Amino acid sequence: VQLQASGGGLVQTGGSLRLSCVASGGTFSRNAMAWFRQAPGKEREFVAGIGWTVTGTRYANSVKGRFTISRDNDKNTAFLQMNSLLPEDTAVYYCAARSWSVATMGNEYDYWGQGTQVTVSS
């Protein structure tokens, strides 16, 4: 499975961005998809994940109520809608995939995209 993330950019505090992750190869509909992020000098952290059944979603406490993860299996694409962005959301965002269910640890994911930079100015 190859993953291609896009949609990052520079936005002001309170703004919105929508990240996309297009998958190719493998069976996308059977994979759980997730977004992680890594800020300079910090460890990579789980942001949000969605199971292959769509109904199972998980969020980091820091983004609950502001970010929404979704997927379109017909387009082999996962999305991360980010609203009410804060400067602390600034990071490189990575999409990841694994079989079946969502996990919150990065080492449980088999496939990774190249990352897209999100910068939120104050």
Side-chain angles (χ1 to χ4, degrees):
V1 176
Q2 291 79 46
L3 304 177
Q4 180 73 38
S6 64
L10 173 65
V11 65
Q12 292 184 334
T13 297
S16 298
L17 283 173
R18 189 192 196 201
L19 305 184
S20 299
C21 178
V22 180
S24 58
T27 306
F28 176 80
S29 61
R30 294 296 179 92
N31 287 327
M33 301 296 297
W35 290 93
F36 288 77
R37 66 187 181 186
Q38 187 166 21
K42 295 187 177 181
E43 294 186 353
R44 182 178 59 193
E45 64 174 353
F46 173 82
V47 176
I50 184 167
W52 71 281
T53 61
V54 181
T55 56
T57 58
R58 297 182 69 176
Y59 295 92
N61 288 335
S62 59
V63 307
K64 280 182 181 178
R66 300 188 298 121
F67 291 9
T68 303
I69 189 170
S70 61
R71 65 190 297 161
D72 183 338
N73 288 341
D74 290 337
K75 296 181 179 179
N76 289 352
T77 304
F79 304 96
L80 184 67
Q81 178 66 45
M82 305 186 295
N83 298 328
S84 302
L85 282 161
L86 303 168
E88 48 264 46
D89 294 317
T90 295
V92 177
Y93 283 70
Y94 299 90
C95 60
R98 69 187 297 268
S99 296
W100 304 114
S101 61
V102 175
T104 60
M105 299 297 293
N107 59 12
E108 296 185 85
Y109 284 80
D110 302 307
Y111 308 101
W112 291 85
Q114 84 288 3
T116 185
Q117 176 71 47
V118 171
T119 303
V120 184
S121 63
S122 57

